[in-house]
Amino acid sequence: MTEGGVSQPLVSGKALVKRFGDFEAVRGIDIEVNQGEAFGFLGPNGAGKSSTMRMIACVSPRSDGDLRVLGMDPDIDGPRIRARIGVCPQQDNLDTELTVRENLQVYGRFFGLSRAQVREKAVELMEFAQLSDRANAEVESLSGGMKRRLTIARSLVNDPELLLLDEPTTGLDPQARHLLWDRLFRLKQRGVTLIITTHYMDEAEQLCDRLVVMDGGRIVAEGSPSALISRYSSREVLELRFAPGEQAGHEAKVEGLAERVEVLPDRLLLYTANGEAALEQVTARGVRPVSSLVRRSTLEDVFLRLTGRTLVD
Amino acid sequence: MSTVVQQRSTGRVLGLWRTAWLVVEAHWMWYRRHWHSNLFSSGLHPLLFLAAMGLGFGSQVRPSAATGGVDYLNFVAPSLLLLGVVFTAVSESSYPVLSGFKWQQHYIAMIATPMRPGCIVLGLVQWMSLRLLLAGAVYTVIATFFGAWLNAGAIFVMFVGVLTGLACATPVMALASVTYDEGNRFTLIMRLVVIPMTLFAGTFFPVDSIPLGVRWLTWISPLWHGTELARGVTLGGLDVLPFLGHLAYLLALLLTGGALATRGFARRLVN
Amino acid sequence: MRVLPPGLYAGQANKVIERSALVTRRHWVIVLSGLLEPVFYLLAIQVGFGVLVGTVIGPAGEPIPYEQFVAPALLGAAAMNGAIFETTYPIYFKLRFNKLYDAMLATPLGPYDVAIGEIGWATVRGSFYSLGFVAVMAAMGVLPSTWALLMVPVAALIAFAFASVGMALATYIQSPTQFDYISLVAIPLFLFSTTFYPLSVYPAELQWAVQLSPLYHGIELLRQCAHGVFDWAMFGHVAVLVGLAAVGVIATSRRIGAMLLR
């Protein structure tokens, strides 16, 4: 993707808007994804992540603004762009009545690969997804984790320059998630550009070099995971747990001990650089919580701060 | 940024027909291992009707003006081929197509590739043609042993079968592409359109006995046009103009349905 | 019902029926559209098939108009087809995708409640359609005698027998393409159970095979009722249908128990 030696972004969107009738799913966002990067979209349900992903995947024409993928306009060159990207949808859409090998071969053919190419590629991808011993098993018989691995392997059949992963590990057990992260990390090392949406903050911290937090169709924050944590949260969090309803009475007593205090139904959260020190002061002021916990701040704290704690659906 | 230089993807865009043919290839991959479970509904099903209605029921029918002066078996052999083909075409275009959008989501998977909505529809139509041709051929060959054919026009009947089947299939595909619920409407289509069509489009008895007031329903049904063509060729008595008329009607239905299906697929997959 | 093992049957099958009734209320258009089917068939017989054939030998050994011969048989075939349609695909879907029965068996309900409830519901629907069918026959003037009203309970029995077998088969189905195997049985039954022409059309050496069909016995019963011709053979016909129903209910309950209760 270099033209004249200057690396241009693989995806660049400016003032990108997506409307469905009266509803504005994406309300003017700017994004830029560079070659070799792992880029994340975070946000609650309905934030506009999937709509944005679909626009990038060239299956959803933008309503307004500008979008370039691999330097081309999806509205004009949709099929040509799709030929060079890989998409792993949120919901596995494998052909459950075909075998593992057949799924990979059929899909490869859709990308215009020759029969010999897809035969070879299928073997390589089954190896990659650790499914070689299930090559001739019908997909129906695979576990959820295996299906997910196969879906990701299938999205690689055309050696994509850009891989779109929509909630790649939702619903998987920890073993399967770690295996998948390992596979995705290898892809990144090979130079494949990744765009990931996820609900899991640990996943975003593990995989993404850079991410945006979306809420209500807009980008509310952008940066690397560590930059976002230092900007929107403190280094540590002190959690004080009380019997339900009692925590409010203690709010006044801990005032001034932290950069920010959050009151939850059963807890007080103290955002501070030094949790242990804050805990000593809390005890010194005579506050006796049922239990206390000092932990490092995570993306989850950033996420909840930016998008609120209310359920969206 | 990265020290590794990403190589160019191997994916490429092919032309309309070659891309559409890949859809056929994908279905063939499935059919190769599942043909036995489909053989019945495609080939055997109409043969059972031929045995029961052509031979069994036919034994109660005297050749008369109503049957064009021929044995009832010869009278229903061509129309039963069409009946079977239309059933296959309609049922393969309803729930299976809806499933491609809603449950199995095959089309969602396809549209993530260089495949375009029009290619998918064209591929489905091509695959359907092959399936119907195969079903028609199995029927035609076996029906020969029943003594169901009077002449080699039977070969032409197979192709009328494909055309009639497609003329019914593409509008149902179009309907499936705009169906978002569980597809209960397909039950209604079966009960209120397909079943009456099989009864009143001349399959089992000539349409002259149907009161004129409702006979227009027969005239708009693709099965009747197919039946007229098929009987005309095997039993004779069809002039050139009506022949071309029936052909044109079926083609028009096929193309209109195909255009609507393409629009439906495009709107549902790219939106 | 202490005949059935405790723990497998809680006497709550009516709750399963209630649930189905609740769901069906939202699909009333589909339910009502089913009433049109006999109208189409009977019309086709009057304007077409009957014209081609004229008369056939009836159950009393005398010639009867073709429409009186075929209408009771179509009622029986509709009861069978409806019952199979109602119990195969929907049950398969609930069993494999919806996990509805897992949820039911997490309550006091046992596998017999589920089996009897679902089969019972299919029978209720079947009876409703049979009533409609007979009403249409009456309206079109093809009811041979008042005895013909007896066809409603007979059709309900046919529906019950085939619903129970259909549901048992549905538990074995792994993928939708296998429904073809069910039509592989249902369609020959529909076509060759003396539905459209009398048994005498078959060569003598094939007639016993036709008599193996449970639908044949159902149709015989229906024709006899329609024309008010009663004899001892009717007990045999009823026994075949009751036996089929019993096999189906037991097989279904065992399968559901074996699939979900371990």
mmCIF file of all heavy atoms in Angstrom, chain A residues 98-139:
data_model
loop_
_atom_site.group_PDB
_atom_site.id
_atom_site.type_symbol
_atom_site.label_atom_id
_atom_site.label_comp_id
_atom_site.label_asym_id
_atom_site.label_seq_id
_atom_site.Cartn_x
_atom_site.Cartn_y
_atom_site.Cartn_z
ATOM 1 N N LEU A 98 -21.479 -28.240 4.872
ATOM 2 C CA LEU A 98 -20.223 -28.549 4.186
ATOM 3 C C LEU A 98 -19.159 -28.863 5.237
ATOM 4 O O LEU A 98 -19.294 -28.507 6.404
ATOM 5 C CB LEU A 98 -19.757 -27.363 3.330
ATOM 6 C CG LEU A 98 -20.620 -26.971 2.137
ATOM 7 C CD1 LEU A 98 -19.937 -25.864 1.348
ATOM 8 C CD2 LEU A 98 -20.898 -28.158 1.239
ATOM 9 N N THR A 99 -18.085 -29.514 4.790
ATOM 10 C CA THR A 99 -17.009 -29.825 5.724
ATOM 11 C C THR A 99 -16.137 -28.591 5.939
ATOM 12 O O THR A 99 -16.287 -27.576 5.251
ATOM 13 C CB THR A 99 -16.121 -30.947 5.178
ATOM 14 O OG1 THR A 99 -15.496 -30.471 3.990
ATOM 15 C CG2 THR A 99 -16.933 -32.196 4.859
ATOM 16 N N VAL A 100 -15.230 -28.719 6.901
ATOM 17 C CA VAL A 100 -14.292 -27.634 7.189
ATOM 18 C C VAL A 100 -13.523 -27.266 5.917
ATOM 19 O O VAL A 100 -13.455 -26.105 5.513
ATOM 20 C CB VAL A 100 -13.321 -28.078 8.300
ATOM 21 C CG1 VAL A 100 -12.183 -27.083 8.443
ATOM 22 C CG2 VAL A 100 -14.071 -28.248 9.614
ATOM 23 N N ARG A 101 -12.977 -28.290 5.258
ATOM 24 C CA ARG A 101 -12.176 -28.046 4.061
ATOM 25 C C ARG A 101 -13.030 -27.408 2.961
ATOM 26 O O ARG A 101 -12.617 -26.432 2.336
ATOM 27 C CB ARG A 101 -11.594 -29.371 3.562
ATOM 28 C CG ARG A 101 -10.614 -29.221 2.402
ATOM 29 C CD ARG A 101 -10.367 -30.552 1.711
ATOM 30 N NE ARG A 101 -9.917 -31.591 2.625
ATOM 31 C CZ ARG A 101 -8.637 -31.766 2.960
ATOM 32 N NH1 ARG A 101 -7.704 -30.994 2.463
ATOM 33 N NH2 ARG A 101 -8.303 -32.725 3.797
ATOM 34 N N GLU A 102 -14.237 -27.948 2.762
ATOM 35 C CA GLU A 102 -15.096 -27.428 1.695
ATOM 36 C C GLU A 102 -15.466 -25.968 1.928
ATOM 37 O O GLU A 102 -15.531 -25.174 0.988
ATOM 38 C CB GLU A 102 -16.373 -28.272 1.589
ATOM 39 C CG GLU A 102 -16.135 -29.633 0.971
ATOM 40 C CD GLU A 102 -17.322 -30.576 1.113
ATOM 41 O OE1 GLU A 102 -18.190 -30.332 1.982
ATOM 42 O OE2 GLU A 102 -17.376 -31.573 0.381
ATOM 43 N N ASN A 103 -15.709 -25.612 3.194
ATOM 44 C CA ASN A 103 -16.034 -24.225 3.500
ATOM 45 C C ASN A 103 -14.921 -23.295 3.037
ATOM 46 O O ASN A 103 -15.174 -22.249 2.431
ATOM 47 C CB ASN A 103 -16.254 -24.052 5.000
ATOM 48 C CG ASN A 103 -17.719 -24.056 5.373
ATOM 49 O OD1 ASN A 103 -18.393 -23.054 5.226
ATOM 50 N ND2 ASN A 103 -18.211 -25.203 5.812
ATOM 51 N N LEU A 104 -13.689 -23.688 3.343
ATOM 52 C CA LEU A 104 -12.559 -22.840 2.975
ATOM 53 C C LEU A 104 -12.399 -22.780 1.457
ATOM 54 O O LEU A 104 -12.154 -21.722 0.883
ATOM 55 C CB LEU A 104 -11.282 -23.368 3.633
ATOM 56 C CG LEU A 104 -11.267 -23.267 5.160
ATOM 57 C CD1 LEU A 104 -10.096 -24.051 5.744
ATOM 58 C CD2 LEU A 104 -11.188 -21.805 5.592
ATOM 59 N N GLN A 105 -12.573 -23.941 0.800
ATOM 60 C CA GLN A 105 -12.371 -23.978 -0.655
ATOM 61 C C GLN A 105 -13.432 -23.166 -1.387
ATOM 62 O O GLN A 105 -13.114 -22.367 -2.268
ATOM 63 C CB GLN A 105 -12.366 -25.422 -1.151
ATOM 64 C CG GLN A 105 -11.156 -26.188 -0.636
ATOM 65 C CD GLN A 105 -11.047 -27.584 -1.217
ATOM 66 O OE1 GLN A 105 -11.978 -28.072 -1.848
ATOM 67 N NE2 GLN A 105 -9.918 -28.234 -0.991
ATOM 68 N N VAL A 106 -14.701 -23.384 -0.993
ATOM 69 C CA VAL A 106 -15.787 -22.651 -1.648
ATOM 70 C C VAL A 106 -15.576 -21.153 -1.493
ATOM 71 O O VAL A 106 -15.696 -20.381 -2.448
ATOM 72 C CB VAL A 106 -17.151 -23.062 -1.042
ATOM 73 C CG1 VAL A 106 -18.215 -22.044 -1.375
ATOM 74 C CG2 VAL A 106 -17.561 -24.427 -1.552
ATOM 75 N N TYR A 107 -15.225 -20.753 -0.290
ATOM 76 C CA TYR A 107 -15.069 -19.321 -0.036
ATOM 77 C C TYR A 107 -13.903 -18.745 -0.827
ATOM 78 O O TYR A 107 -13.985 -17.640 -1.367
ATOM 79 C CB TYR A 107 -14.877 -19.085 1.463
ATOM 80 C CG TYR A 107 -15.505 -17.802 1.940
ATOM 81 C CD1 TYR A 107 -16.874 -17.603 1.835
ATOM 82 C CD2 TYR A 107 -14.725 -16.786 2.483
ATOM 83 C CE1 TYR A 107 -17.447 -16.431 2.268
ATOM 84 C CE2 TYR A 107 -15.305 -15.605 2.918
ATOM 85 C CZ TYR A 107 -16.666 -15.430 2.812
ATOM 86 O OH TYR A 107 -17.248 -14.257 3.226
ATOM 87 N N GLY A 108 -12.841 -19.512 -0.904
ATOM 88 C CA GLY A 108 -11.684 -19.069 -1.679
ATOM 89 C C GLY A 108 -12.042 -18.871 -3.146
ATOM 90 O O GLY A 108 -11.600 -17.918 -3.792
ATOM 91 N N ARG A 109 -12.878 -19.766 -3.654
ATOM 92 C CA ARG A 109 -13.299 -19.645 -5.054
ATOM 93 C C ARG A 109 -14.065 -18.347 -5.286
ATOM 94 O O ARG A 109 -13.943 -17.737 -6.340
ATOM 95 C CB ARG A 109 -14.161 -20.842 -5.460
ATOM 96 C CG ARG A 109 -13.417 -22.160 -5.473
ATOM 97 C CD ARG A 109 -12.535 -22.304 -6.689
ATOM 98 N NE ARG A 109 -13.318 -22.483 -7.897
ATOM 99 C CZ ARG A 109 -12.883 -22.168 -9.116
ATOM 100 N NH1 ARG A 109 -11.676 -21.655 -9.276
ATOM 101 N NH2 ARG A 109 -13.639 -22.381 -10.163
ATOM 102 N N PHE A 110 -14.878 -17.946 -4.287
ATOM 103 C CA PHE A 110 -15.619 -16.683 -4.423
ATOM 104 C C PHE A 110 -14.665 -15.505 -4.625
ATOM 105 O O PHE A 110 -15.050 -14.484 -5.174
ATOM 106 C CB PHE A 110 -16.477 -16.406 -3.178
ATOM 107 C CG PHE A 110 -17.654 -17.333 -3.022
ATOM 108 C CD1 PHE A 110 -18.300 -17.465 -1.795
ATOM 109 C CD2 PHE A 110 -18.142 -18.060 -4.098
ATOM 110 C CE1 PHE A 110 -19.376 -18.311 -1.650
ATOM 111 C CE2 PHE A 110 -19.227 -18.909 -3.953
ATOM 112 C CZ PHE A 110 -19.844 -19.035 -2.717
ATOM 113 N N PHE A 111 -13.429 -15.650 -4.134
ATOM 114 C CA PHE A 111 -12.455 -14.572 -4.299
ATOM 115 C C PHE A 111 -11.674 -14.705 -5.600
ATOM 116 O O PHE A 111 -10.650 -14.063 -5.775
ATOM 117 C CB PHE A 111 -11.489 -14.549 -3.105
ATOM 118 C CG PHE A 111 -12.088 -13.931 -1.878
ATOM 119 C CD1 PHE A 111 -12.675 -14.722 -0.906
ATOM 120 C CD2 PHE A 111 -12.081 -12.556 -1.699
ATOM 121 C CE1 PHE A 111 -13.237 -14.148 0.224
ATOM 122 C CE2 PHE A 111 -12.634 -11.984 -0.571
ATOM 123 C CZ PHE A 111 -13.222 -12.781 0.401
ATOM 124 N N GLY A 112 -12.150 -15.599 -6.466
ATOM 125 C CA GLY A 112 -11.515 -15.724 -7.771
ATOM 126 C C GLY A 112 -10.228 -16.532 -7.762
ATOM 127 O O GLY A 112 -9.476 -16.491 -8.725
ATOM 128 N N LEU A 113 -9.976 -17.279 -6.685
ATOM 129 C CA LEU A 113 -8.768 -18.101 -6.645
ATOM 130 C C LEU A 113 -8.980 -19.361 -7.484
ATOM 131 O O LEU A 113 -10.102 -19.842 -7.628
ATOM 132 C CB LEU A 113 -8.434 -18.510 -5.205
ATOM 133 C CG LEU A 113 -8.308 -17.395 -4.167
ATOM 134 C CD1 LEU A 113 -7.814 -17.967 -2.838
ATOM 135 C CD2 LEU A 113 -7.377 -16.300 -4.635
ATOM 136 N N SER A 114 -7.890 -19.910 -7.996
ATOM 137 C CA SER A 114 -7.997 -21.122 -8.801
ATOM 138 C C SER A 114 -8.217 -22.317 -7.882
ATOM 139 O O SER A 114 -8.004 -22.233 -6.672
ATOM 140 C CB SER A 114 -6.715 -21.332 -9.596
ATOM 141 O OG SER A 114 -5.678 -21.722 -8.721
ATOM 142 N N ARG A 115 -8.632 -23.448 -8.465
ATOM 143 C CA ARG A 115 -8.868 -24.647 -7.660
ATOM 144 C C ARG A 115 -7.601 -25.071 -6.935
ATOM 145 O O ARG A 115 -7.630 -25.452 -5.771
ATOM 146 C CB ARG A 115 -9.374 -25.780 -8.534
ATOM 147 C CG ARG A 115 -10.800 -25.567 -8.973
ATOM 148 C CD ARG A 115 -11.485 -26.859 -9.346
ATOM 149 N NE ARG A 115 -12.865 -26.577 -9.667
ATOM 150 C CZ ARG A 115 -13.253 -26.013 -10.820
ATOM 151 N NH1 ARG A 115 -12.363 -25.728 -11.747
ATOM 152 N NH2 ARG A 115 -14.516 -25.753 -11.042
ATOM 153 N N ALA A 116 -6.470 -25.013 -7.646
ATOM 154 C CA ALA A 116 -5.203 -25.423 -7.022
ATOM 155 C C ALA A 116 -4.869 -24.495 -5.862
ATOM 156 O O ALA A 116 -4.466 -24.944 -4.784
ATOM 157 C CB ALA A 116 -4.094 -25.381 -8.071
ATOM 158 N N GLN A 117 -5.090 -23.195 -6.079
ATOM 159 C CA GLN A 117 -4.816 -22.224 -5.016
ATOM 160 C C GLN A 117 -5.638 -22.501 -3.768
ATOM 161 O O GLN A 117 -5.121 -22.492 -2.658
ATOM 162 C CB GLN A 117 -5.155 -20.810 -5.513
ATOM 163 C CG GLN A 117 -3.983 -20.035 -6.073
ATOM 164 C CD GLN A 117 -4.451 -18.672 -6.594
ATOM 165 O OE1 GLN A 117 -5.439 -18.584 -7.320
ATOM 166 N NE2 GLN A 117 -3.743 -17.630 -6.208
ATOM 167 N N VAL A 118 -6.947 -22.774 -3.953
ATOM 168 C CA VAL A 118 -7.790 -22.950 -2.766
ATOM 169 C C VAL A 118 -7.462 -24.257 -2.057
ATOM 170 O O VAL A 118 -7.555 -24.341 -0.832
ATOM 171 C CB VAL A 118 -9.309 -22.888 -3.071
ATOM 172 C CG1 VAL A 118 -9.700 -21.503 -3.507
ATOM 173 C CG2 VAL A 118 -9.751 -23.920 -4.064
ATOM 174 N N ARG A 119 -7.064 -25.277 -2.833
ATOM 175 C CA ARG A 119 -6.702 -26.546 -2.187
ATOM 176 C C ARG A 119 -5.529 -26.345 -1.235
ATOM 177 O O ARG A 119 -5.546 -26.766 -0.082
ATOM 178 C CB ARG A 119 -6.333 -27.586 -3.251
ATOM 179 C CG ARG A 119 -7.477 -28.554 -3.565
ATOM 180 C CD ARG A 119 -6.974 -29.798 -4.256
ATOM 181 N NE ARG A 119 -6.290 -29.498 -5.517
ATOM 182 C CZ ARG A 119 -6.909 -29.336 -6.679
ATOM 183 N NH1 ARG A 119 -8.222 -29.468 -6.744
ATOM 184 N NH2 ARG A 119 -6.240 -29.073 -7.781
ATOM 185 N N GLU A 120 -4.527 -25.640 -1.755
ATOM 186 C CA GLU A 120 -3.327 -25.389 -0.971
ATOM 187 C C GLU A 120 -3.643 -24.489 0.228
ATOM 188 O O GLU A 120 -3.219 -24.743 1.352
ATOM 189 C CB GLU A 120 -2.322 -24.718 -1.903
ATOM 190 C CG GLU A 120 -0.894 -24.697 -1.417
ATOM 191 C CD GLU A 120 -0.034 -23.901 -2.395
ATOM 192 O OE1 GLU A 120 -0.291 -24.005 -3.619
ATOM 193 O OE2 GLU A 120 0.849 -23.176 -1.941
ATOM 194 N N LYS A 121 -4.426 -23.455 -0.045
ATOM 195 C CA LYS A 121 -4.734 -22.474 0.991
ATOM 196 C C LYS A 121 -5.541 -23.117 2.123
ATOM 197 O O LYS A 121 -5.338 -22.806 3.299
ATOM 198 C CB LYS A 121 -5.528 -21.318 0.366
ATOM 199 C CG LYS A 121 -5.587 -20.081 1.211
ATOM 200 C CD LYS A 121 -4.247 -19.394 1.264
ATOM 201 C CE LYS A 121 -4.231 -18.364 2.387
ATOM 202 N NZ LYS A 121 -2.873 -17.829 2.611
ATOM 203 N N ALA A 122 -6.462 -24.004 1.753
ATOM 204 C CA ALA A 122 -7.292 -24.656 2.774
ATOM 205 C C ALA A 122 -6.434 -25.423 3.759
ATOM 206 O O ALA A 122 -6.645 -25.358 4.982
ATOM 207 C CB ALA A 122 -8.318 -25.584 2.115
ATOM 208 N N VAL A 123 -5.438 -26.126 3.248
ATOM 209 C CA VAL A 123 -4.553 -26.899 4.129
ATOM 210 C C VAL A 123 -3.824 -25.961 5.087
ATOM 211 O O VAL A 123 -3.776 -26.190 6.297
ATOM 212 C CB VAL A 123 -3.543 -27.702 3.276
ATOM 213 C CG1 VAL A 123 -2.515 -28.366 4.169
ATOM 214 C CG2 VAL A 123 -4.274 -28.725 2.429
ATOM 215 N N GLU A 124 -3.307 -24.873 4.537
ATOM 216 C CA GLU A 124 -2.566 -23.913 5.353
ATOM 217 C C GLU A 124 -3.466 -23.304 6.444
ATOM 218 O O GLU A 124 -3.070 -23.187 7.599
ATOM 219 C CB GLU A 124 -2.021 -22.824 4.426
ATOM 220 C CG GLU A 124 -1.269 -21.712 5.123
ATOM 221 C CD GLU A 124 -1.131 -20.488 4.219
ATOM 222 O OE1 GLU A 124 -0.931 -20.670 2.999
ATOM 223 O OE2 GLU A 124 -1.244 -19.366 4.736
ATOM 224 N N LEU A 125 -4.693 -22.954 6.071
ATOM 225 C CA LEU A 125 -5.579 -22.291 7.030
ATOM 226 C C LEU A 125 -6.087 -23.249 8.096
ATOM 227 O O LEU A 125 -6.295 -22.854 9.243
ATOM 228 C CB LEU A 125 -6.755 -21.638 6.290
ATOM 229 C CG LEU A 125 -6.386 -20.397 5.482
ATOM 230 C CD1 LEU A 125 -7.573 -19.916 4.669
ATOM 231 C CD2 LEU A 125 -5.893 -19.284 6.403
ATOM 232 N N MET A 126 -6.278 -24.515 7.720
ATOM 233 C CA MET A 126 -6.716 -25.484 8.732
ATOM 234 C C MET A 126 -5.618 -25.681 9.764
ATOM 235 O O MET A 126 -5.890 -25.827 10.953
ATOM 236 C CB MET A 126 -7.091 -26.807 8.065
ATOM 237 C CG MET A 126 -8.406 -26.715 7.303
ATOM 238 S SD MET A 126 -9.003 -28.291 6.700
ATOM 239 C CE MET A 126 -7.808 -28.704 5.472
ATOM 240 N N GLU A 127 -4.398 -25.643 9.291
ATOM 241 C CA GLU A 127 -3.243 -25.697 10.194
ATOM 242 C C GLU A 127 -3.286 -24.500 11.140
ATOM 243 O O GLU A 127 -3.197 -24.642 12.359
ATOM 244 C CB GLU A 127 -1.975 -25.655 9.327
ATOM 245 C CG GLU A 127 -0.705 -25.929 10.057
ATOM 246 C CD GLU A 127 -0.439 -27.419 10.150
ATOM 247 O OE1 GLU A 127 -1.058 -28.193 9.391
ATOM 248 O OE2 GLU A 127 0.382 -27.791 10.982
ATOM 249 N N PHE A 128 -3.465 -23.333 10.551
ATOM 250 C CA PHE A 128 -3.489 -22.076 11.304
ATOM 251 C C PHE A 128 -4.586 -22.098 12.372
ATOM 252 O O PHE A 128 -4.405 -21.640 13.487
ATOM 253 C CB PHE A 128 -3.727 -20.919 10.325
ATOM 254 C CG PHE A 128 -3.961 -19.584 10.967
ATOM 255 C CD1 PHE A 128 -2.894 -18.809 11.376
ATOM 256 C CD2 PHE A 128 -5.251 -19.110 11.145
ATOM 257 C CE1 PHE A 128 -3.107 -17.573 11.966
ATOM 258 C CE2 PHE A 128 -5.468 -17.878 11.734
ATOM 259 C CZ PHE A 128 -4.390 -17.107 12.143
ATOM 260 N N ALA A 129 -5.755 -22.650 12.014
ATOM 261 C CA ALA A 129 -6.887 -22.650 12.943
ATOM 262 C C ALA A 129 -6.907 -23.891 13.816
ATOM 263 O O ALA A 129 -7.868 -24.109 14.549
ATOM 264 C CB ALA A 129 -8.199 -22.535 12.156
ATOM 265 N N GLN A 130 -5.865 -24.705 13.728
ATOM 266 C CA GLN A 130 -5.787 -25.958 14.469
ATOM 267 C C GLN A 130 -7.018 -26.830 14.238
ATOM 268 O O GLN A 130 -7.638 -27.344 15.169
ATOM 269 C CB GLN A 130 -5.601 -25.690 15.975
ATOM 270 C CG GLN A 130 -4.293 -24.985 16.252
ATOM 271 C CD GLN A 130 -3.995 -24.900 17.736
ATOM 272 O OE1 GLN A 130 -4.665 -25.502 18.564
ATOM 273 N NE2 GLN A 130 -2.970 -24.159 18.077
ATOM 274 N N LEU A 131 -7.373 -26.964 12.975
ATOM 275 C CA LEU A 131 -8.539 -27.778 12.615
ATOM 276 C C LEU A 131 -8.173 -28.869 11.622
ATOM 277 O O LEU A 131 -9.047 -29.489 11.027
ATOM 278 C CB LEU A 131 -9.634 -26.886 12.015
ATOM 279 C CG LEU A 131 -10.363 -25.961 12.983
ATOM 280 C CD1 LEU A 131 -11.236 -24.970 12.212
ATOM 281 C CD2 LEU A 131 -11.215 -26.747 13.961
ATOM 282 N N SER A 132 -6.861 -29.108 11.429
ATOM 283 C CA SER A 132 -6.447 -30.062 10.404
ATOM 284 C C SER A 132 -7.060 -31.441 10.615
ATOM 285 O O SER A 132 -7.460 -32.104 9.659
ATOM 286 C CB SER A 132 -4.924 -30.188 10.385
ATOM 287 O OG SER A 132 -4.350 -28.932 10.159
ATOM 288 N N ASP A 133 -7.180 -31.853 11.875
ATOM 289 C CA ASP A 133 -7.724 -33.196 12.117
ATOM 290 C C ASP A 133 -9.234 -33.238 11.921
ATOM 291 O O ASP A 133 -9.834 -34.306 11.942
ATOM 292 C CB ASP A 133 -7.344 -33.694 13.511
ATOM 293 C CG ASP A 133 -7.693 -32.698 14.592
ATOM 294 O OD1 ASP A 133 -7.794 -31.493 14.269
ATOM 295 O OD2 ASP A 133 -7.892 -33.110 15.747
ATOM 296 N N ARG A 134 -9.884 -32.072 11.739
ATOM 297 C CA ARG A 134 -11.320 -32.059 11.493
ATOM 298 C C ARG A 134 -11.625 -31.708 10.048
ATOM 299 O O ARG A 134 -12.773 -31.377 9.729
ATOM 300 C CB ARG A 134 -12.016 -31.030 12.410
ATOM 301 C CG ARG A 134 -11.743 -31.226 13.889
ATOM 302 C CD ARG A 134 -12.154 -32.600 14.373
ATOM 303 N NE ARG A 134 -13.593 -32.801 14.260
ATOM 304 C CZ ARG A 134 -14.445 -32.612 15.259
ATOM 305 N NH1 ARG A 134 -14.005 -32.246 16.427
ATOM 306 N NH2 ARG A 134 -15.738 -32.828 15.095
ATOM 307 N N ALA A 135 -10.607 -31.788 9.186
ATOM 308 C CA ALA A 135 -10.748 -31.317 7.804
ATOM 309 C C ALA A 135 -12.021 -31.809 7.124
ATOM 310 O O ALA A 135 -12.712 -31.053 6.452
ATOM 311 C CB ALA A 135 -9.535 -31.751 6.989
ATOM 312 N N ASN A 136 -12.357 -33.101 7.332
ATOM 313 C CA ASN A 136 -13.494 -33.658 6.596
ATOM 314 C C ASN A 136 -14.751 -33.784 7.441
ATOM 315 O O ASN A 136 -15.683 -34.496 7.080
ATOM 316 C CB ASN A 136 -13.102 -35.007 5.994
ATOM 317 C CG ASN A 136 -11.960 -34.843 5.002
ATOM 318 O OD1 ASN A 136 -11.956 -33.904 4.205
ATOM 319 N ND2 ASN A 136 -10.966 -35.717 5.084
ATOM 320 N N ALA A 137 -14.759 -33.073 8.583
ATOM 321 C CA ALA A 137 -15.959 -33.095 9.429
ATOM 322 C C ALA A 137 -16.907 -32.000 8.967
ATOM 323 O O ALA A 137 -16.478 -30.907 8.589
ATOM 324 C CB ALA A 137 -15.567 -32.863 10.879
ATOM 325 N N GLU A 138 -18.204 -32.282 8.986
ATOM 326 C CA GLU A 138 -19.178 -31.238 8.673
ATOM 327 C C GLU A 138 -19.158 -30.188 9.783
ATOM 328 O O GLU A 138 -19.008 -30.529 10.965
ATOM 329 C CB GLU A 138 -20.583 -31.834 8.530
ATOM 330 C CG GLU A 138 -20.790 -32.448 7.164
ATOM 331 C CD GLU A 138 -22.262 -32.719 6.836
ATOM 332 O OE1 GLU A 138 -23.147 -32.128 7.469
ATOM 333 O OE2 GLU A 138 -22.500 -33.531 5.936
ATOM 334 N N VAL A 139 -19.312 -28.935 9.394
ATOM 335 C CA VAL A 139 -19.211 -27.831 10.346
ATOM 336 C C VAL A 139 -20.225 -27.969 11.476
ATOM 337 O O VAL A 139 -19.961 -27.617 12.621
ATOM 338 C CB VAL A 139 -19.376 -26.494 9.598
ATOM 339 C CG1 VAL A 139 -19.612 -25.362 10.560
ATOM 340 C CG2 VAL A 139 -18.160 -26.243 8.740
#
